[in-house]
Amino acid sequence: MPIERDAFYSMLGIAMRAGALTLGESGVRDAIASGAARLVLLDEGASDNTKKRFRDSCAFYGVTLFETRRDRLGLSIGKPGRMSAAVAKGTLGEKLFSLAQQG
C-alpha cells in the first residue's frame, strides 16, 4: 500500500536538499548493492518490470522497499517524473523509515 502521510513527503523534500537521496535507476541499484541505502522508494506509476527489478534487488540485499503515491515522489523532491529514490543511512533515513512505516 502506498505511503499517504504528508509529513513523510515533507521530510522527503528536506532529505533531497540535504543530499541524502540517490536518484535514477542505476544510482539506486548501486546504493542498494553497496549497502548505502536505508530504504528505497518507488513510485506506484513505475512499470511492472521496474517494480520487479527493485523488489528482487531489495529482497536480495535486505533493503526495505516502499511505494509512494503516483507522482508524489517526484513532486516532493522537486524533480517531477522520478520513479525511484534511495534514502541514505543516517538520521534522515531513520526518520523517513519510521514515517513510512506509519503509512
Side-chain angles (χ1 to χ4, degrees):
M1 185 165 90
I3 300 168
E4 299 279 347
R5 294 181 52 126
D6 288 333
F8 172 82
Y9 294 107
S10 296
M11 186 63 69
L12 193 58
I14 292 170
M16 178 64 185
R17 290 188 294 279
L21 295 182
T22 301
L23 304 175
E25 188 171 339
S26 62
V28 173
R29 286 197 345 236
D30 290 344
I32 294 168
S34 70
R38 173 63 177 102
L39 64 131
V40 172
L41 303 170
L42 190 60
D43 191 283
E44 73 177 349
S47 71
D48 291 337
N49 189 31
T50 300
K51 288 179 182 180
K52 181 186 181 326
R53 197 172 319 133
F54 278 113
R55 259 190 254 117
D56 292 348
S57 184
C58 286
F60 183 80
Y61 288 103
V63 177
T64 307
L65 175 73
F66 289 102
E67 278 194 28
T68 63
R69 282 279 174 217
R70 184 177 299 271
D71 299 325
R72 287 291 304 264
L73 175 61
L75 292 175
S76 297
I77 61 175
K79 296 187 180 290
R82 296 295 173 139
M83 292 289 152
S84 60
V87 180
K89 293 180 178 179
T91 306
L92 282 173
E94 292 303 322
K95 180 63 176 175
L96 281 166
F97 182 76
S98 68
L99 286 171
Q101 284 184 318
Q102 296 170 9

